[in-house]
Amino acid sequence: MKDDDRIPFDLKEYQNQSSFSFSFVMNLNEREKAFFPNLLSLGDLTFYVDGLNANGMMSLVLSCEGDISLSDAHDHTKIDYSVDDDVEVIIAPNDEESNDILPDEDGIYDLRGSCLALLFDAIPQNYSLVPLETVVTDDYVLMSEDEYNRRKASKNAFSALDEEDFD
């Protein structure tokens, strides 16, 4: 990764603050885009960092919020999709085993890997708004997750019971 792709976090800037917050926008390079095949654009997605500094250990809550554009996995139409997810990252300069990320050679922590992991969790790899029809062959049955859950619930011995009849 090139240095200009880094999302730098300099611990020295925040070590005397008990809490802090900042935000930024991130763009994906071509190599990173390959991990999100249905992603059309990051739209107005913004990353937020809320930090808490205590006892030589720093807790960063990285979150991303906004609307992105996806390609429907079935008919490839554009879908506006809302993202709201977060992850906690621990930085402990005096305890290397407790670190979630390590500093680069220049002592700066790069938040890019943590942001990519957050995106990978927040953006669905397969997403569609197209209702699927069940396909039955001699070898397999293909159905939507909703259909699978309906069939599974109908086979459950307790599915016919009404919740209001029980405390």
Side-chain angles (χ1 to χ4, degrees):
M1 180 182 334
K2 296 179 284 189
D3 282 346
D4 58 352
D5 281 343
R6 290 195 318 174
I7 299 172
F9 177 74
D10 189 353
L11 195 63
K12 293 174 193 161
E13 290 182 32
Y14 301 98
Q15 66 187 2
N16 294 326
Q17 298 179 35
S18 59
S19 64
F20 54 89
S21 297
F22 61 91
S23 63
F24 58 91
V25 175
M26 182 174 103
N27 293 315
L28 299 177
N29 61 39
E30 291 305 314
R31 193 173 124 248
E32 294 165 344
K33 287 178 185 176
F35 292 104
F36 305 98
N38 291 326
L39 179 66
L40 298 175
S41 86
L42 288 177
D44 67 354
L45 191 68
T46 303
F47 288 85
Y48 300 92
V49 177
D50 293 309
L52 185 62
N53 189 3
N55 299 328
M57 187 176 280
M58 196 168 285
S59 167
L60 304 178
V61 176
L62 299 173
S63 58
C64 60
E65 296 177 18
D67 293 322
I68 63 172
S69 297
L70 297 176
S71 173
D72 189 292
H74 295 107
D75 68 1
H76 305 290
T77 58
K78 180 181 171 186
I79 300 172
D80 292 326
Y81 184 83
S82 292
V83 173
D84 185 1
D85 207 348
D86 61 59
V87 66
E88 183 178 13
V89 176
I90 301 295
I91 296 177
N94 300 324
D95 183 7
E96 198 171 284
E97 290 183 14
S98 297
N99 273 323
D100 288 326
I101 56 176
L102 295 174
D104 289 343
E105 290 177 8
D106 60 1
I108 304 294
Y109 290 83
D110 184 7
L111 300 180
R112 189 170 196 86
S114 299
C115 290
L116 288 171
L118 177 58
L119 277 180
F120 197 76
D121 188 48
I123 298 174
Q125 292 295 308
N126 236 346
Y127 187 77
S128 178
L129 296 177
V130 176
L132 298 178
E133 294 185 20
T134 303
V135 176
V136 179
T137 70
D138 292 337
D139 299 327
Y140 62 89
V141 176
L142 178 66
M143 67 184 78
S144 68
E145 185 176 354
D146 290 337
E147 177 64 21
Y148 171 78
N149 290 333
R150 274 194 296 277
R151 288 184 184 196
K152 185 176 176 183
S154 69
K155 292 180 182 179
N156 182 345
F158 300 104
S159 62
L161 300 176
D162 292 327
E163 282 186 38
E164 60 268 358
D165 293 340
F166 301 95
D167 292 331

